[in-house]
Amino acid sequence: MTLSEVDLGPLWLTLHLAGVTVIVLLIIGTPLAWWLAHTRSRARTVVEAIVAMPLVLPPTVLGFYLLVLLGPHGWIGSASQAVTGSALSFTFTGLVIASALYSLPFVVQPLHGAFESIGRKPLEAAWSLRASKLDTFLTIASPMASRGYLTAIVLGFAHTLGEFGVVLMVGGNIPGRTKVLSIAIYDHVEVLEYTQAHVLSAGLLVFSFLVLLMVYTVNRRLPIHVS
């Protein structure tokens, strides 16, 4: 059993989507996780609940509201259409936005835990030596949070690979544009092509196991250091 040319398109599109989504999530999630780890604001609990919502919210519910927002009549989609001439629904950009929101807790929560575990003493020691907050973050906090970064990157990437409900609602099933691997599996099952569906499903199953095995193994062996 091998991958057909029909399935290679969804495979590469899924890998591209997962890679871009992880980069976006690191850019957004790192400052958000840092703020959650150090803020004393009363809004922290509300923000934590919002970040964690994709863990309990049905993907189709999140996908529906994103479809409304990103569509031509939604306030985000209409703004995009006014600027670019097209809405964000049923586009790769729309998939990235949907995937980033759906995978947000898988990146923010590991980073939040890593930053919180550092404590304030190493940071205060750096500040007492007149290190700037940015320098302290880059040279003290980030190396000490390396396990959190590894977990966030791997889980964010793997979770994006397996998305179905959200990407189907927001992106539909357009070959070459929005048809990702999970939707390709569904299409094969719909027409009773179980062999092709098995190849793709088994590949994702093995990949998911290896991802978790790598995270647990590396996190146990990865030393904590301050550069």
Side-chain angles (χ1 to χ4, degrees), residues 57-72:
L57 194 65
T60 49
V61 173
L62 179 61
F64 169 72
Y65 284 113
L66 284 173
L67 178 62
V68 172
L69 287 173
L70 301 177

Side-chain angles (χ1 to χ4, degrees), residues 6-18 67 70 87-99 160-161 163-187:
V6 175
D7 294 322
L8 288 177
L11 174 61
W12 296 125
L13 181 64
T14 304
L15 293 174
H16 184 202
L17 175 64
L67 178 62
L70 301 177
L88 293 172
S89 55
F90 307 110
T91 66
F92 181 79
T93 302
L95 286 185
V96 172
I97 295 173
S99 298
T160 303
L161 289 184
E163 292 175 9
F164 177 74
V166 171
V167 295
L168 181 62
M169 293 290 285
V170 175
N173 187 358
I174 305 174
R177 291 180 56 188
T178 62
K179 185 177 180 179
V180 295
L181 205 55
S182 57
I183 297 176
I185 293 173
Y186 179 78
D187 284 348

Side-chain angles (χ1 to χ4, degrees), residues 44-111:
R44 172 182 171 176
T45 303
V46 176
V47 175
E48 286 180 321
I50 293 174
V51 169
M53 278 189 68
L55 295 174
V56 296
L57 194 65
T60 49
V61 173
L62 179 61
F64 169 72
Y65 284 113
L66 284 173
L67 178 62
V68 172
L69 287 173
L70 301 177
H73 302 295
W75 64 273
I76 297 178
S78 59
S80 173
Q81 192 163 32
V83 175
T84 66
S86 62
L88 293 172
S89 55
F90 307 110
T91 66
F92 181 79
T93 302
L95 286 185
V96 172
I97 295 173
S99 298
L101 288 175
Y102 189 50
S103 296
L104 186 64
F106 291 87
V107 172
V108 172
Q109 290 184 352
L111 291 177

